[in-house]
Amino acid sequence: MSNWLKPIDIYCERQSDLFWAEPINAITNLSFIIAAYFIFTRSRSQYSFLLSGLLVMIGFGSFLFHTFANRLTGLIDIAAIAIYMLTFAFLIPTQWQKRSILIRLASILFLLFTIFVTSVLIRDLKPTMSWLPSGFYLGAWFTLIIYTFVTKYYQSPAAIYLTAATVIFIISLISRQLDGPLCEQIGGTHWLWHILNGLTLYLCTYGLCRPRNSSKRLLKSALACQTK
């Protein structure tokens, strides 16, 4: 158990083992809380409460990791993110008008398979290409791209939000990788990863919570007004 609680130092901002050694990294986790607030207050989906709760859990887990920096809080941080990703993968087929449990499970398996393959490739490439991001996050990005294309194919209103999320997420990944290289120059960039990730997850979640037939309802309303 002592190994799990042993302090670790992997981010530029941390210069000691103190609780408040990463104030900017810790505070910027508010981005996830803010995202959760807007999802909860602006979305009327049946999934809003669940997904906003998961966003709060991500913010809380990351806050713990950037205050009590050890393997245990790191595991809590990753676990919160993984639970959100699995939930998203399970629910996104609703935007394709697919509610079959088999399709939802296939979506989860696709996510896990992509992350596994990407992680293996990154592991083999890391010795010569140390700048590559984590296979876990890169796999999630590749999966999001596929989800976006499928969502566009089914002409779902969520497509525009997922498209924006894929663009912002790759910028977010780059900022995460630049934390070490830019440490001496600007004091690290991990805080930017938090802010951009909060925006990425907000876009993904808001898109997922969009009514599938909202555009059709708007068209019908417009036509009804014209006939009056």
Side-chain angles (χ1 to χ4, degrees):
M1 185 63 180
S2 59
N3 288 333
W4 284 95
L5 298 179
K6 183 179 179 180
I8 57 178
D9 180 4
I10 57 176
Y11 298 111
C12 172
E13 190 181 12
R14 180 165 289 276
Q15 301 297 320
S16 70
D17 296 339
L18 297 177
F19 174 86
W20 208 239
E22 297 180 57
I24 300 178
N25 286 346
I27 291 173
T28 48
N29 285 300
L30 282 172
S31 64
F32 303 108
I33 309 302
I34 294 171
Y37 170 78
F38 281 112
I39 292 298
F40 186 73
T41 57
R42 291 190 174 187
S43 174
R44 300 182 183 279
S45 168
Q46 59 182 318
Y47 307 124
S48 299
F49 181 78
L50 168 64
L51 293 169
S52 59
L54 293 179
L55 290 176
V56 170
M57 188 169 67
I58 290 174
F60 181 68
S62 185
F63 178 81
L64 285 178
F65 186 44
H66 290 287
T67 49
F68 300 100
N70 53 55
R71 289 178 61 193
L72 179 59
T73 54
L75 178 62
I76 294 173
D77 180 29
I78 292 295
I81 297 169
I83 292 171
Y84 174 90
M85 288 167 56
L86 292 171
T87 303
F88 183 89
F90 184 78
L91 295 177
I92 191 61
T94 61
Q95 285 293 331
W96 314 332
Q97 294 184 319
K98 308 293 183 182
R99 297 183 178 274
S100 165
I101 189 67
L102 292 178
I103 292 177
R104 293 185 180 205
L105 292 178
S107 177
I108 290 178
L109 289 176
F110 176 73
L111 168 66
L112 296 175
F113 176 77
T114 306
I115 290 176
F116 173 76
V117 171
T118 308
S119 297
V120 171
L121 291 174
I122 294 294
R123 182 194 63 191
D124 294 337
L125 293 173
K126 271 286 187 182
T128 55
M129 305 172 72
S130 59
W131 50 269
L132 286 171
S134 158
F136 177 76
Y137 291 119
L138 196 60
W141 182 62
F142 285 139
T143 305
L144 181 59
I145 290 175
I146 300 301
Y147 286 160
T148 301
F149 277 113
V150 176
T151 305
K152 283 184 177 180
Y153 175 80
Y154 283 104
Q155 299 181 336
S156 166
I160 188 171
Y161 300 98
L162 297 189
T163 300
T166 59
V167 174
I168 294 172
F169 189 35
I170 193 61
I171 300 173
S172 180
L173 270 176
I174 293 172
S175 69
R176 185 177 189 271
Q177 295 307 108
L178 291 177
D179 184 63
L182 295 183
C183 186
E184 295 295 330
Q185 291 83 356
I186 62 175
T189 57
H190 194 76
W191 58 272
L192 185 58
W193 156 259
H194 288 163
I195 293 174
L196 293 177
N197 252 11
L199 180 56
T200 298
L201 293 180
Y202 170 76
L203 290 169
C204 287
T205 307
Y206 189 75
L208 176 60
C209 290
R210 292 282 291 173
R212 179 62 181 84
N213 59 345
S214 59
S215 57
K216 293 181 180 179
R217 286 208 306 265
L218 288 174
L219 179 59
K220 288 181 180 179
S221 297
L223 291 174
C225 289
Q226 290 178 1
T227 57
K228 289 182 180 180

